[in-house]
């Protein structure tokens, strides 16, 4: 089982550039989420989805867009990258909204210069 | 303001020592989870506690959920270098899933 697959693993962007972080899961999980992890801040929720076609904002949604056209895929789009978006991004999926645990991808380390 | 506060933030101990990590909140949680994260990887679920006062054991790790379901603790007995990592608590007080600030544990051989 692949679990949750994130690509790319590393990325460097220039300020103002846009890009899409890919996330795919093969466990047929309805719930998927994007988190960013910064030193001393723990994991903060960016956007989440409770099923195909349904998305909602988390704690820190500004500057990011998501869509969920299939159960398997949940891409995260950075519209115009800023240095404040330098972070490690994690995608996670769950069977039941997290009550029984999330499965995480291995992360994307993004640097915006 | 963090919904879930963990303490201590950093912990460095010798192999064989015991330790306790705390996760506190002013909110009531329907469940709390503990994860361990190693460098360069995503968090991995260790345990979920659901009932107030519940105690769960995973080998040398003991997890407890507070009676009021607002706090939790993780106790490690006879720590080993393989326990080194970032420990995160997480839970759902409403309709979103929140993570704690994390405790970075280093076990020195």
């Amino acid at each position: 089982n692949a679990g949750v697959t994130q690509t790319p693993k590393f990325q460097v962007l220039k300020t103002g550039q846009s890009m899409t972080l890919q996330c795919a899961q093969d466990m047929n999980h309805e719930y998927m989420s994007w988190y960013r992890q910064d030193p001393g801040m723990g994991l903060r929720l960016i956007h989440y989805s409770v099923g195909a076609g349904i998305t909602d904002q988390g704690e820190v949604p500004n500057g990011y867009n998501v869509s969920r056209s299939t159960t398997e895929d949940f891409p995260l789009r950075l519209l115009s990258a800023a240095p404040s978006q330098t972070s490690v991004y994690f995608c996670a999926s769950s069977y039941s909204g997290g009550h029984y645990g999330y499965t995480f991808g291995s992360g994307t380390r993004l640097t915006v210069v | 303001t963090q919904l879930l506060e963990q303490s201590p933030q950093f912990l460095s101990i010798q192999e064989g020592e015991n330790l306790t990590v705390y996760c506190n909140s002013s909110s009531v949680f329907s469940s709390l989870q503990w994860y361990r994260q190693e460098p360069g990887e995503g968090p991995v679920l260790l345990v979920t506690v659901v009932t107030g006062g519940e105690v769960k054991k995973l080998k040398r790790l003991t997890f407890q959920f507070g009676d009021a379901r607002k706090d939790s603790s993780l106790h490690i007995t006879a720590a080993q270098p393989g326990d080194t990592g970032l420990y995160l608590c997480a839970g759902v007080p409403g309709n979103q899933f929140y993570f704690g600030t994390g405790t970075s544990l280093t076990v020195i051989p």
Side-chain angles (χ1 to χ4, degrees):
Chain A
N1 285 342
V4 178
T5 303
Q6 288 184 239
T7 56
K9 194 158 182 69
F10 299 96
Q11 183 70 50
V12 178
L13 285 180
K14 293 183 179 179
T15 298
Q17 286 185 320
S18 62
M19 78 160 295
T20 299
L21 279 63
Q22 301 292 344
C23 176
Q25 53 94 5
D26 63 357
M27 297 170 286
N28 203 32
H29 286 168
E30 289 296 324
Y31 290 80
M32 296 187 75
S33 301
W34 275 102
Y35 290 87
R36 60 178 288 173
Q37 186 172 36
D38 303 291
M41 300 293 291
L43 284 153
R44 292 182 292 170
L45 181 64
I46 304 171
H47 285 285
Y48 65 101
S49 170
V50 300
I54 305 169
T55 63
D56 206 347
Q57 297 180 351
E59 289 178 80
V60 288
N62 292 339
Y64 307 95
N65 271 358
V66 293
S67 60
R68 184 97 179 269
S69 57
T70 67
T71 298
E72 294 77 20
D73 299 300
F74 191 42
L76 177 71
R77 297 181 186 84
L78 278 70
L79 309 174
S80 177
S84 61
Q85 293 179 304
T86 293
S87 186
V88 181
Y89 291 85
F90 288 100
C91 179
S93 72
S94 171
Y95 171 70
S96 62
H99 289 284
Y100 298 100
Y102 270 98
T103 300
F104 281 82
S106 58
T108 295
R109 183 173 293 274
L110 175 68
T111 302
V112 183
V113 298
Chain B
T1 302
Q2 293 285 345
L3 192 65
L4 284 165
E5 295 285 348
Q6 287 185 238
S7 61
Q9 188 175 358
F10 299 96
L11 192 54
S12 181
I13 63 171
Q14 295 289 331
E15 182 177 359
E17 292 183 348
N18 301 332
L19 68 115
T20 301
V21 176
Y22 299 93
C23 174
N24 294 294
S25 177
S26 58
S27 299
V28 176
F29 289 82
S30 57
S31 65
L32 263 178
Q33 299 164 8
W34 286 92
Y35 292 78
R36 181 169 64 209
Q37 184 180 17
E38 298 186 9
E41 298 296 329
V44 175
L45 179 68
L46 295 174
V47 76
T48 299
V49 286
V50 178
T51 305
E54 182 177 3
V55 177
K56 281 192 174 179
K57 292 191 175 183
L58 184 66
K59 298 183 181 178
R60 294 175 293 100
L61 278 61
T62 301
F63 305 86
Q64 184 161 9
F65 201 11
D67 290 341
R69 292 186 288 130
K70 293 182 178 182
D71 55 86
S72 181
S73 63
L74 158 61
H75 182 80
I76 301 179
T77 303
Q80 299 178 1
D83 296 326
T84 293
L86 179 68
Y87 288 82
L88 296 156
C89 64
V92 184
N95 62 350
Q96 292 187 10
F97 199 71
Y98 288 92
F99 278 84
T101 48
T103 294
S104 179
L105 171 65
T106 301
V107 182
I108 303 166

